[in-house]
Amino acid sequence: MVSTKSATDTNSGLQYLPKSTERDKEISPNQELLPLTAKVNNLDHLEIGGWDVTTLVQQFGSPLYILDEHTLRTACRQYRDAWKNYYPGESLVLYASKAWSCLAVCAICGSEGLGIDVVSGGELYTAVQAGISPDKIYFHGNNKSQTELILAIETGCIIVVDNWLELKTLANLTNEKKSQLQSPIKIMLRFTPGIECHTHEYIRTGHLDSKFGFDPNQLNDVFTFLTEQPLLSLIGLHAHIGSQIFEVQPHQDLANVMVDAMAKAMAYNLPIKEINVGGGLGIRYTESDDPPSIEAWIQIISKAMVDACTARQLPLPKLLCEPGRSIIGPACVTAYTVGSEKQIPEIRTYISVDGGMSDNPRPITYESLYRVVVANKLSASLTETVTIAGKHCESGDVLVKNAMLPVTQPGDCLVVMGTGAYNYSMASNYNRLPRPAAVLVGNNEVNLIIQRETYEDLLRQDTLPTRIVIVEDSI
Ligand code: LLP
């Protein structure tokens, strides 16, 4: 028998299961703690995508990223369909691949009709190798190298120009390559919209004191410059306010700011066709997080954009957004194996797991909060308050402080939820830990999408100068 969450399950891991697995079309993945397919099976184990998490760990080892294809595809479709339902003009959703750039994730997003936002030559290469058409790849970044710009031009993706150096470099490069260019290269302009939002200081980008984008006061000069560049075709404007945002007001305000900038560009005879409002929709990491649904977010932005254009009697642009976290974040969990325990009477009990800040650097970087369950004791009462520590030589290497868990033993399988975004993509080899494997569950299959690194992988880029020989007793 497979059951889902019920009203009596509030003091066990069952409380974290999605509201219902029958009506998952209405569920916005970013409002759930676990992937939409999460269930408890008759062994009292957590199942994701029809697979017992403990079996996956036995087969693939731990730590293990477990990515649920259904949840990922649902988020992609909800974004795509909401634009279609609420915005009368053309639209496109880009997946912000900085959240997790790998072949499988890019290819799945691409197969749902999404384009990809990339911020480096490496992410661009990944998107291209995943089969994404270059005209659906948008290249961001505040300090793209000349090599990256040349790669972008050769690939034929759209370049989101961030600053004067980049703009002038592109003008020079296109002039040098004039004879090889079939048509002008397509660019967008990123500017800082001067909009504040309430999120962590490190992930706010829309306020004026930000390293990203042109200052709005520079726009007139930039537009003048562009009128003299026949090889650079300005197709649109871009702004991004920040990440993990729960309010909708900042994006409503953004629509007005962007349409004003569009009107300004049009006064220079630069026909802006696209507006990209960035990403930023938050997800539920803990019960107290209350983000709007994907549909509500899109509906509000669509209305704000239509109102802003109508008020200024401007045609509706093609509308783009580029969510990362809300697409991939809720679709993945990380499974660990419980190891040592340290009880400090009256102070704290530490339970250590076999990963930590190298596979999830968010708690130590942003003090991010996560929820955790014991996957092999899902309905057991939560009687213990413990701190889940990683295995790194660093006191701050704590994944979850004061987690409520049942009694645990070494070997138990612990699952941290909501780890799809900015976990693998920010993972490191600190303390020379091999980066974990990732599996994709869905379609009645398990697919290994990223192999676990080996010790040989860790040494792959190392070289030992030949004159340095290790001789015993040489000191
Ligand atoms: N577009 C641009 C230009 C961005 O800079 C970002 C995120 C996004 C889109 C996607 O935002 P999202 O929908 O994922 O919120 N490492 C941090 C998050 C950094 C976000 C960077 N930019 C974290 O772990 O919270």
Side-chain angles (χ1 to χ4, degrees), residues 150-183:
I150 293 171
L151 179 67
I153 294 172
E154 288 172 356
T155 307
C157 65
I158 293 119
I159 302 173
V160 185
V161 180
D162 191 274
N163 52 63
W164 275 113
L165 174 66
E166 187 180 337
L167 190 56
K168 292 188 173 164
T169 309
L170 280 176
N172 291 338
L173 284 172
T174 46
N175 272 321
E176 281 165 23
K177 289 180 182 288
K178 205 187 244 166
S179 55
Q180 292 141 264
L181 287 179
Q182 319 276 7
S183 53

PDB file of all heavy atoms in Angstrom, residues 150-183:
ATOM      1  N   ILE A 150      33.893  35.560 -28.631  1.00  0.00           N
ATOM      2  CA  ILE A 150      34.098  34.971 -29.964  1.00  0.00           C
ATOM      3  C   ILE A 150      33.307  33.660 -30.077  1.00  0.00           C
ATOM      4  O   ILE A 150      32.613  33.416 -31.065  1.00  0.00           O
ATOM      5  CB  ILE A 150      35.612  34.750 -30.245  1.00  0.00           C
ATOM      6  CG1 ILE A 150      36.289  36.116 -30.355  1.00  0.00           C
ATOM      7  CG2 ILE A 150      35.839  33.907 -31.500  1.00  0.00           C
ATOM      8  CD1 ILE A 150      37.796  36.081 -30.408  1.00  0.00           C
ATOM      9  N   LEU A 151      33.362  32.855 -29.010  1.00  0.00           N
ATOM     10  CA  LEU A 151      32.593  31.599 -29.007  1.00  0.00           C
ATOM     11  C   LEU A 151      31.099  31.899 -29.182  1.00  0.00           C
ATOM     12  O   LEU A 151      30.401  31.218 -29.953  1.00  0.00           O
ATOM     13  CB  LEU A 151      32.841  30.857 -27.681  1.00  0.00           C
ATOM     14  CG  LEU A 151      32.094  29.541 -27.483  1.00  0.00           C
ATOM     15  CD1 LEU A 151      32.587  28.483 -28.479  1.00  0.00           C
ATOM     16  CD2 LEU A 151      32.287  29.004 -26.055  1.00  0.00           C
ATOM     17  N   ALA A 152      30.619  32.930 -28.498  1.00  0.00           N
ATOM     18  CA  ALA A 152      29.195  33.286 -28.586  1.00  0.00           C
ATOM     19  C   ALA A 152      28.833  33.704 -30.008  1.00  0.00           C
ATOM     20  O   ALA A 152      27.805  33.279 -30.545  1.00  0.00           O
ATOM     21  CB  ALA A 152      28.880  34.404 -27.601  1.00  0.00           C
ATOM     22  N   ILE A 153      29.705  34.506 -30.629  1.00  0.00           N
ATOM     23  CA  ILE A 153      29.428  34.952 -32.007  1.00  0.00           C
ATOM     24  C   ILE A 153      29.416  33.742 -32.941  1.00  0.00           C
ATOM     25  O   ILE A 153      28.519  33.573 -33.760  1.00  0.00           O
ATOM     26  CB  ILE A 153      30.479  35.992 -32.470  1.00  0.00           C
ATOM     27  CG1 ILE A 153      30.356  37.271 -31.644  1.00  0.00           C
ATOM     28  CG2 ILE A 153      30.327  36.306 -33.958  1.00  0.00           C
ATOM     29  CD1 ILE A 153      31.463  38.289 -31.875  1.00  0.00           C
ATOM     30  N   GLU A 154      30.426  32.880 -32.761  1.00  0.00           N
ATOM     31  CA  GLU A 154      30.498  31.700 -33.655  1.00  0.00           C
ATOM     32  C   GLU A 154      29.318  30.754 -33.449  1.00  0.00           C
ATOM     33  O   GLU A 154      28.837  30.127 -34.378  1.00  0.00           O
ATOM     34  CB  GLU A 154      31.826  30.966 -33.435  1.00  0.00           C
ATOM     35  CG  GLU A 154      32.979  31.776 -34.009  1.00  0.00           C
ATOM     36  CD  GLU A 154      34.346  31.211 -33.655  1.00  0.00           C
ATOM     37  OE1 GLU A 154      34.427  30.229 -32.890  1.00  0.00           O
ATOM     38  OE2 GLU A 154      35.329  31.789 -34.127  1.00  0.00           O
ATOM     39  N   THR A 155      28.868  30.668 -32.196  1.00  0.00           N
ATOM     40  CA  THR A 155      27.730  29.774 -31.895  1.00  0.00           C
ATOM     41  C   THR A 155      26.433  30.339 -32.451  1.00  0.00           C
ATOM     42  O   THR A 155      25.518  29.591 -32.787  1.00  0.00           O
ATOM     43  CB  THR A 155      27.588  29.601 -30.360  1.00  0.00           C
ATOM     44  OG1 THR A 155      28.836  29.189 -29.840  1.00  0.00           O
ATOM     45  CG2 THR A 155      26.548  28.575 -29.998  1.00  0.00           C
ATOM     46  N   GLY A 156      26.332  31.668 -32.469  1.00  0.00           N
ATOM     47  CA  GLY A 156      25.105  32.289 -32.967  1.00  0.00           C
ATOM     48  C   GLY A 156      24.050  32.477 -31.893  1.00  0.00           C
ATOM     49  O   GLY A 156      22.864  32.610 -32.190  1.00  0.00           O
ATOM     50  N   CYS A 157      24.480  32.497 -30.615  1.00  0.00           N
ATOM     51  CA  CYS A 157      23.493  32.739 -29.548  1.00  0.00           C
ATOM     52  C   CYS A 157      23.276  34.246 -29.381  1.00  0.00           C
ATOM     53  O   CYS A 157      23.978  35.054 -29.991  1.00  0.00           O
ATOM     54  CB  CYS A 157      23.968  32.107 -28.241  1.00  0.00           C
ATOM     55  SG  CYS A 157      25.456  32.844 -27.577  1.00  0.00           S
ATOM     56  N   ILE A 158      22.317  34.596 -28.548  1.00  0.00           N
ATOM     57  CA  ILE A 158      22.048  36.014 -28.298  1.00  0.00           C
ATOM     58  C   ILE A 158      22.920  36.452 -27.119  1.00  0.00           C
ATOM     59  O   ILE A 158      22.980  35.775 -26.087  1.00  0.00           O
ATOM     60  CB  ILE A 158      20.551  36.239 -27.997  1.00  0.00           C
ATOM     61  CG1 ILE A 158      19.751  35.935 -29.268  1.00  0.00           C
ATOM     62  CG2 ILE A 158      20.260  37.672 -27.549  1.00  0.00           C
ATOM     63  CD1 ILE A 158      18.797  34.849 -29.145  1.00  0.00           C
ATOM     64  N   ILE A 159      23.582  37.599 -27.292  1.00  0.00           N
ATOM     65  CA  ILE A 159      24.501  38.058 -26.240  1.00  0.00           C
ATOM     66  C   ILE A 159      23.823  39.174 -25.442  1.00  0.00           C
ATOM     67  O   ILE A 159      23.370  40.163 -26.016  1.00  0.00           O
ATOM     68  CB  ILE A 159      25.828  38.559 -26.858  1.00  0.00           C
ATOM     69  CG1 ILE A 159      26.466  37.437 -27.677  1.00  0.00           C
ATOM     70  CG2 ILE A 159      26.775  39.056 -25.768  1.00  0.00           C
ATOM     71  CD1 ILE A 159      27.688  37.856 -28.466  1.00  0.00           C
ATOM     72  N   VAL A 160      23.744  38.965 -24.136  1.00  0.00           N
ATOM     73  CA  VAL A 160      23.136  39.983 -23.270  1.00  0.00           C
ATOM     74  C   VAL A 160      24.280  40.880 -22.782  1.00  0.00           C
ATOM     75  O   VAL A 160      25.043  40.505 -21.891  1.00  0.00           O
ATOM     76  CB  VAL A 160      22.374  39.340 -22.095  1.00  0.00           C
ATOM     77  CG1 VAL A 160      21.648  40.404 -21.281  1.00  0.00           C
ATOM     78  CG2 VAL A 160      21.386  38.296 -22.607  1.00  0.00           C
ATOM     79  N   VAL A 161      24.401  42.047 -23.412  1.00  0.00           N
ATOM     80  CA  VAL A 161      25.558  42.914 -23.166  1.00  0.00           C
ATOM     81  C   VAL A 161      25.377  43.630 -21.834  1.00  0.00           C
ATOM     82  O   VAL A 161      24.318  44.177 -21.534  1.00  0.00           O
ATOM     83  CB  VAL A 161      25.718  43.943 -24.310  1.00  0.00           C
ATOM     84  CG1 VAL A 161      26.912  44.842 -24.046  1.00  0.00           C
ATOM     85  CG2 VAL A 161      25.872  43.220 -25.641  1.00  0.00           C
ATOM     86  N   ASP A 162      26.467  43.604 -21.046  1.00  0.00           N
ATOM     87  CA  ASP A 162      26.367  44.039 -19.652  1.00  0.00           C
ATOM     88  C   ASP A 162      27.015  45.399 -19.397  1.00  0.00           C
ATOM     89  O   ASP A 162      26.663  46.092 -18.464  1.00  0.00           O
ATOM     90  CB  ASP A 162      27.064  42.974 -18.784  1.00  0.00           C
ATOM     91  CG  ASP A 162      26.834  43.143 -17.313  1.00  0.00           C
ATOM     92  OD1 ASP A 162      27.588  43.917 -16.681  1.00  0.00           O
ATOM     93  OD2 ASP A 162      25.902  42.514 -16.778  1.00  0.00           O
ATOM     94  N   ASN A 163      28.012  45.794 -20.226  1.00  0.00           N
ATOM     95  CA  ASN A 163      28.784  47.004 -19.901  1.00  0.00           C
ATOM     96  C   ASN A 163      29.486  47.537 -21.156  1.00  0.00           C
ATOM     97  O   ASN A 163      29.488  46.898 -22.209  1.00  0.00           O
ATOM     98  CB  ASN A 163      29.814  46.685 -18.806  1.00  0.00           C
ATOM     99  CG  ASN A 163      30.660  45.471 -19.176  1.00  0.00           C
ATOM    100  OD1 ASN A 163      31.385  45.485 -20.165  1.00  0.00           O
ATOM    101  ND2 ASN A 163      30.531  44.386 -18.416  1.00  0.00           N
ATOM    102  N   TRP A 164      30.105  48.716 -20.989  1.00  0.00           N
ATOM    103  CA  TRP A 164      30.756  49.395 -22.130  1.00  0.00           C
ATOM    104  C   TRP A 164      31.891  48.591 -22.731  1.00  0.00           C
ATOM    105  O   TRP A 164      32.060  48.540 -23.946  1.00  0.00           O
ATOM    106  CB  TRP A 164      31.291  50.763 -21.695  1.00  0.00           C
ATOM    107  CG  TRP A 164      30.261  51.846 -21.764  1.00  0.00           C
ATOM    108  CD1 TRP A 164      29.727  52.522 -20.708  1.00  0.00           C
ATOM    109  CD2 TRP A 164      29.638  52.386 -22.943  1.00  0.00           C
ATOM    110  NE1 TRP A 164      28.793  53.438 -21.155  1.00  0.00           N
ATOM    111  CE2 TRP A 164      28.729  53.373 -22.528  1.00  0.00           C
ATOM    112  CE3 TRP A 164      29.753  52.111 -24.313  1.00  0.00           C
ATOM    113  CZ2 TRP A 164      27.951  54.108 -23.420  1.00  0.00           C
ATOM    114  CZ3 TRP A 164      28.971  52.833 -25.201  1.00  0.00           C
ATOM    115  CH2 TRP A 164      28.081  53.822 -24.758  1.00  0.00           C
ATOM    116  N   LEU A 165      32.714  47.980 -21.873  1.00  0.00           N
ATOM    117  CA  LEU A 165      33.862  47.235 -22.420  1.00  0.00           C
ATOM    118  C   LEU A 165      33.357  46.147 -23.367  1.00  0.00           C
ATOM    119  O   LEU A 165      33.864  45.977 -24.485  1.00  0.00           O
ATOM    120  CB  LEU A 165      34.699  46.608 -21.286  1.00  0.00           C
ATOM    121  CG  LEU A 165      35.832  45.698 -21.770  1.00  0.00           C
ATOM    122  CD1 LEU A 165      36.902  46.490 -22.525  1.00  0.00           C
ATOM    123  CD2 LEU A 165      36.476  44.924 -20.630  1.00  0.00           C
ATOM    124  N   GLU A 166      32.322  45.449 -22.919  1.00  0.00           N
ATOM    125  CA  GLU A 166      31.790  44.358 -23.730  1.00  0.00           C
ATOM    126  C   GLU A 166      31.191  44.886 -25.038  1.00  0.00           C
ATOM    127  O   GLU A 166      31.397  44.313 -26.116  1.00  0.00           O
ATOM    128  CB  GLU A 166      30.728  43.629 -22.910  1.00  0.00           C
ATOM    129  CG  GLU A 166      30.228  42.382 -23.556  1.00  0.00           C
ATOM    130  CD  GLU A 166      29.169  41.674 -22.704  1.00  0.00           C
ATOM    131  OE1 GLU A 166      29.130  41.893 -21.477  1.00  0.00           O
ATOM    132  OE2 GLU A 166      28.373  40.926 -23.281  1.00  0.00           O
ATOM    133  N   LEU A 167      30.464  46.003 -24.914  1.00  0.00           N
ATOM    134  CA  LEU A 167      29.822  46.571 -26.100  1.00  0.00           C
ATOM    135  C   LEU A 167      30.876  46.977 -27.140  1.00  0.00           C
ATOM    136  O   LEU A 167      30.755  46.671 -28.332  1.00  0.00           O
ATOM    137  CB  LEU A 167      28.984  47.780 -25.667  1.00  0.00           C
ATOM    138  CG  LEU A 167      28.047  48.376 -26.693  1.00  0.00           C
ATOM    139  CD1 LEU A 167      27.077  47.323 -27.227  1.00  0.00           C
ATOM    140  CD2 LEU A 167      27.252  49.539 -26.094  1.00  0.00           C
ATOM    141  N   LYS A 168      31.925  47.621 -26.650  1.00  0.00           N
ATOM    142  CA  LYS A 168      32.971  48.085 -27.588  1.00  0.00           C
ATOM    143  C   LYS A 168      33.762  46.903 -28.144  1.00  0.00           C
ATOM    144  O   LYS A 168      34.145  46.889 -29.310  1.00  0.00           O
ATOM    145  CB  LYS A 168      33.872  49.104 -26.900  1.00  0.00           C
ATOM    146  CG  LYS A 168      33.076  50.372 -26.624  1.00  0.00           C
ATOM    147  CD  LYS A 168      33.891  51.535 -26.125  1.00  0.00           C
ATOM    148  CE  LYS A 168      32.980  52.760 -26.070  1.00  0.00           C
ATOM    149  NZ  LYS A 168      33.507  53.855 -25.285  1.00  0.00           N
ATOM    150  N   THR A 169      34.010  45.896 -27.303  1.00  0.00           N
ATOM    151  CA  THR A 169      34.709  44.702 -27.794  1.00  0.00           C
ATOM    152  C   THR A 169      33.887  44.050 -28.898  1.00  0.00           C
ATOM    153  O   THR A 169      34.420  43.631 -29.938  1.00  0.00           O
ATOM    154  CB  THR A 169      34.942  43.689 -26.645  1.00  0.00           C
ATOM    155  OG1 THR A 169      35.536  44.371 -25.562  1.00  0.00           O
ATOM    156  CG2 THR A 169      35.816  42.537 -27.074  1.00  0.00           C
ATOM    157  N   LEU A 170      32.569  43.955 -28.684  1.00  0.00           N
ATOM    158  CA  LEU A 170      31.707  43.330 -29.696  1.00  0.00           C
ATOM    159  C   LEU A 170      31.703  44.143 -30.984  1.00  0.00           C
ATOM    160  O   LEU A 170      31.721  43.588 -32.088  1.00  0.00           O
ATOM    161  CB  LEU A 170      30.275  43.202 -29.173  1.00  0.00           C
ATOM    162  CG  LEU A 170      30.006  42.028 -28.234  1.00  0.00           C
ATOM    163  CD1 LEU A 170      28.587  42.086 -27.710  1.00  0.00           C
ATOM    164  CD2 LEU A 170      30.260  40.691 -28.943  1.00  0.00           C
ATOM    165  N   ALA A 171      31.689  45.490 -30.836  1.00  0.00           N
ATOM    166  CA  ALA A 171      31.711  46.341 -32.032  1.00  0.00           C
ATOM    167  C   ALA A 171      33.001  46.069 -32.816  1.00  0.00           C
ATOM    168  O   ALA A 171      32.977  45.900 -34.049  1.00  0.00           O
ATOM    169  CB  ALA A 171      31.609  47.807 -31.618  1.00  0.00           C
ATOM    170  N   ASN A 172      34.135  45.965 -32.106  1.00  0.00           N
ATOM    171  CA  ASN A 172      35.413  45.694 -32.788  1.00  0.00           C
ATOM    172  C   ASN A 172      35.426  44.308 -33.414  1.00  0.00           C
ATOM    173  O   ASN A 172      35.831  44.129 -34.572  1.00  0.00           O
ATOM    174  CB  ASN A 172      36.594  45.791 -31.804  1.00  0.00           C
ATOM    175  CG  ASN A 172      36.801  47.224 -31.363  1.00  0.00           C
ATOM    176  OD1 ASN A 172      36.369  48.157 -32.051  1.00  0.00           O
ATOM    177  ND2 ASN A 172      37.425  47.416 -30.203  1.00  0.00           N
ATOM    178  N   LEU A 173      34.982  43.319 -32.639  1.00  0.00           N
ATOM    179  CA  LEU A 173      35.017  41.935 -33.149  1.00  0.00           C
ATOM    180  C   LEU A 173      34.151  41.784 -34.400  1.00  0.00           C
ATOM    181  O   LEU A 173      34.540  41.127 -35.358  1.00  0.00           O
ATOM    182  CB  LEU A 173      34.509  40.959 -32.075  1.00  0.00           C
ATOM    183  CG  LEU A 173      35.464  40.638 -30.930  1.00  0.00           C
ATOM    184  CD1 LEU A 173      34.752  39.812 -29.851  1.00  0.00           C
ATOM    185  CD2 LEU A 173      36.675  39.864 -31.449  1.00  0.00           C
ATOM    186  N   THR A 174      32.969  42.395 -34.388  1.00  0.00           N
ATOM    187  CA  THR A 174      32.082  42.237 -35.550  1.00  0.00           C
ATOM    188  C   THR A 174      32.651  42.984 -36.758  1.00  0.00           C
ATOM    189  O   THR A 174      32.517  42.510 -37.886  1.00  0.00           O
ATOM    190  CB  THR A 174      30.647  42.724 -35.246  1.00  0.00           C
ATOM    191  OG1 THR A 174      30.710  43.992 -34.589  1.00  0.00           O
ATOM    192  CG2 THR A 174      29.883  41.752 -34.393  1.00  0.00           C
ATOM    193  N   ASN A 175      33.319  44.103 -36.504  1.00  0.00           N
ATOM    194  CA  ASN A 175      33.956  44.797 -37.631  1.00  0.00           C
ATOM    195  C   ASN A 175      35.068  43.957 -38.243  1.00  0.00           C
ATOM    196  O   ASN A 175      35.194  43.856 -39.458  1.00  0.00           O
ATOM    197  CB  ASN A 175      34.515  46.153 -37.178  1.00  0.00           C
ATOM    198  CG  ASN A 175      33.430  47.211 -37.297  1.00  0.00           C
ATOM    199  OD1 ASN A 175      32.651  47.198 -38.255  1.00  0.00           O
ATOM    200  ND2 ASN A 175      33.342  48.093 -36.317  1.00  0.00           N
ATOM    201  N   GLU A 176      35.881  43.316 -37.343  1.00  0.00           N
ATOM    202  CA  GLU A 176      36.968  42.451 -37.840  1.00  0.00           C
ATOM    203  C   GLU A 176      36.414  41.275 -38.632  1.00  0.00           C
ATOM    204  O   GLU A 176      37.019  40.802 -39.585  1.00  0.00           O
ATOM    205  CB  GLU A 176      37.769  41.883 -36.655  1.00  0.00           C
ATOM    206  CG  GLU A 176      38.759  42.851 -36.050  1.00  0.00           C
ATOM    207  CD  GLU A 176      39.222  42.361 -34.679  1.00  0.00           C
ATOM    208  OE1 GLU A 176      39.142  41.154 -34.405  1.00  0.00           O
ATOM    209  OE2 GLU A 176      39.635  43.228 -33.874  1.00  0.00           O
ATOM    210  N   LYS A 177      35.263  40.746 -38.179  1.00  0.00           N
ATOM    211  CA  LYS A 177      34.708  39.527 -38.798  1.00  0.00           C
ATOM    212  C   LYS A 177      33.627  39.846 -39.812  1.00  0.00           C
ATOM    213  O   LYS A 177      32.896  38.939 -40.230  1.00  0.00           O
ATOM    214  CB  LYS A 177      34.104  38.629 -37.701  1.00  0.00           C
ATOM    215  CG  LYS A 177      35.123  37.980 -36.801  1.00  0.00           C
ATOM    216  CD  LYS A 177      34.435  37.110 -35.764  1.00  0.00           C
ATOM    217  CE  LYS A 177      35.426  36.484 -34.823  1.00  0.00           C
ATOM    218  NZ  LYS A 177      36.227  35.422 -35.382  1.00  0.00           N
ATOM    219  N   LYS A 178      33.550  41.113 -40.204  1.00  0.00           N
ATOM    220  CA  LYS A 178      32.483  41.576 -41.097  1.00  0.00           C
ATOM    221  C   LYS A 178      32.228  40.628 -42.280  1.00  0.00           C
ATOM    222  O   LYS A 178      31.092  40.232 -42.545  1.00  0.00           O
ATOM    223  CB  LYS A 178      32.915  42.939 -41.654  1.00  0.00           C
ATOM    224  CG  LYS A 178      31.784  43.819 -42.085  1.00  0.00           C
ATOM    225  CD  LYS A 178      32.383  45.034 -42.759  1.00  0.00           C
ATOM    226  CE  LYS A 178      32.096  46.314 -42.040  1.00  0.00           C
ATOM    227  NZ  LYS A 178      32.876  47.452 -42.424  1.00  0.00           N
ATOM    228  N   SER A 179      33.329  40.208 -42.918  1.00  0.00           N
ATOM    229  CA  SER A 179      33.153  39.399 -44.135  1.00  0.00           C
ATOM    230  C   SER A 179      32.548  38.031 -43.831  1.00  0.00           C
ATOM    231  O   SER A 179      31.877  37.429 -44.664  1.00  0.00           O
ATOM    232  CB  SER A 179      34.497  39.232 -44.834  1.00  0.00           C
ATOM    233  OG  SER A 179      35.401  38.704 -43.909  1.00  0.00           O
ATOM    234  N   GLN A 180      32.799  37.502 -42.598  1.00  0.00           N
ATOM    235  CA  GLN A 180      32.273  36.169 -42.264  1.00  0.00           C
ATOM    236  C   GLN A 180      30.837  36.217 -41.729  1.00  0.00           C
ATOM    237  O   GLN A 180      30.169  35.207 -41.658  1.00  0.00           O
ATOM    238  CB  GLN A 180      33.144  35.499 -41.178  1.00  0.00           C
ATOM    239  CG  GLN A 180      34.539  35.139 -41.654  1.00  0.00           C
ATOM    240  CD  GLN A 180      35.562  35.410 -40.580  1.00  0.00           C
ATOM    241  OE1 GLN A 180      36.198  36.458 -40.574  1.00  0.00           O
ATOM    242  NE2 GLN A 180      35.704  34.476 -39.638  1.00  0.00           N
ATOM    243  N   LEU A 181      30.385  37.412 -41.303  1.00  0.00           N
ATOM    244  CA  LEU A 181      29.046  37.478 -40.678  1.00  0.00           C
ATOM    245  C   LEU A 181      27.948  37.454 -41.740  1.00  0.00           C
ATOM    246  O   LEU A 181      27.977  38.243 -42.681  1.00  0.00           O
ATOM    247  CB  LEU A 181      28.901  38.769 -39.852  1.00  0.00           C
ATOM    248  CG  LEU A 181      29.644  38.858 -38.530  1.00  0.00           C
ATOM    249  CD1 LEU A 181      29.403  40.221 -37.872  1.00  0.00           C
ATOM    250  CD2 LEU A 181      29.222  37.755 -37.576  1.00  0.00           C
ATOM    251  N   GLN A 182      27.004  36.541 -41.558  1.00  0.00           N
ATOM    252  CA  GLN A 182      25.876  36.463 -42.496  1.00  0.00           C
ATOM    253  C   GLN A 182      24.906  37.626 -42.263  1.00  0.00           C
ATOM    254  O   GLN A 182      24.297  38.143 -43.181  1.00  0.00           O
ATOM    255  CB  GLN A 182      25.077  35.162 -42.301  1.00  0.00           C
ATOM    256  CG  GLN A 182      25.911  33.931 -42.053  1.00  0.00           C
ATOM    257  CD  GLN A 182      26.375  33.341 -43.368  1.00  0.00           C
ATOM    258  OE1 GLN A 182      26.176  33.919 -44.425  1.00  0.00           O
ATOM    259  NE2 GLN A 182      27.037  32.195 -43.309  1.00  0.00           N
ATOM    260  N   SER A 183      24.755  37.972 -40.969  1.00  0.00           N
ATOM    261  CA  SER A 183      23.817  39.042 -40.592  1.00  0.00           C
ATOM    262  C   SER A 183      24.346  39.680 -39.309  1.00  0.00           C
ATOM    263  O   SER A 183      25.241  39.117 -38.667  1.00  0.00           O
ATOM    264  CB  SER A 183      22.434  38.440 -40.380  1.00  0.00           C
ATOM    265  OG  SER A 183      22.536  37.368 -39.471  1.00  0.00           O
TER     266      SER A 183
END
